[in-house]
Amino acid sequence: MRTFLKFSLHEHHKYGYTCECDALHTGEYCEVPLDHPCPSNWWGYPICGPCHCDTGRGYDANCNKTNGECRCEDKHFQPPHSDICFDCDCYATGSFGNRCDLITGQCKCRAGVIGRRCDSCSNPFAEVTLRDAKVREHPPVSKICSAYL
């Protein structure tokens, strides 16, 4: 049985997904049990060493238990060639949650809503509201940029 805490789908990984293992397993598919796992924020086997992840740059303090590699905090993304992880900062009204693509930072937008943060409508006279994003025109006509909750 493979044990992991998260199963993340994303198109930029060579398999289209990654597994993040619990503290008792390691490996690409969490298939390798650890006899003596290191404590939180430490890595290595059989000798543990501290993680050196800069939380001020958006990295999770708890590094990869096998190789000590730092990864972004939850709800953060890291563009190619960047040494900083940025907050997804998804607009709650226009998106399906606060997670984003791990590389581009694109949030999952509701129908008709656009922008990396899902905070805009394609029409510059529309706005995303709790019910929908409406366009005001003369004479008064309502076109909808949907953002239904």
Side-chain angles (χ1 to χ4, degrees):
M1 178 176 151
R2 294 186 177 116
T3 305
F4 54 88
L5 296 175
K6 292 183 208 168
F7 178 76
S8 302
L9 296 174
H10 50 90
E11 60 189 63
H12 303 291
H13 187 270
K14 64 182 177 179
Y15 298 119
Y17 67 90
T18 58
C19 299
E20 292 187 22
C21 307
D22 64 18
L24 301 175
H25 296 83
T26 190
E28 193 165 28
Y29 305 105
C30 304
E31 74 279 11
V32 180
L34 291 173
D35 294 332
H36 303 286
C38 297
S40 183
N41 303 338
W42 288 70
W43 72 281
Y45 182 81
I47 299 170
C48 297
C51 295
H52 295 289
C53 302
D54 188 349
T55 57
R57 295 173 88 70
Y59 288 99
D60 188 332
N62 197 22
C63 61
N64 181 301
K65 295 291 186 194
T66 305
N67 61 19
E69 184 176 295
C70 298
R71 60 179 168 250
C72 291
E73 283 185 65
D74 198 24
K75 302 172 196 148
H76 282 67
F77 70 99
Q78 185 175 27
H81 312 295
S82 175
D83 62 349
I84 298 174
C85 296
F86 300 94
D87 187 348
C88 291
D89 194 27
C90 299
Y91 186 55
T93 302
S95 67
F96 286 108
N98 50 13
R99 295 189 187 278
C100 63
D101 182 277
L102 298 175
I103 296 173
T104 66
Q106 177 64 53
C107 300
K108 185 160 176 62
C109 298
R110 295 181 183 279
V113 181
I114 62 171
R116 189 196 66 74
R117 295 182 55 234
C118 304
D119 58 353
S120 303
C121 294
S122 57
N123 186 314
F125 300 105
E127 69 178 349
V128 181
T129 64
L130 289 175
R131 286 187 159 171
D132 52 38
K134 293 189 178 183
V135 179
R136 306 290 183 219
E137 295 180 356
H138 297 287
V141 175
S142 219
K143 294 182 182 175
I144 297 174
C145 165
S146 299
Y148 298 106
L149 297 176

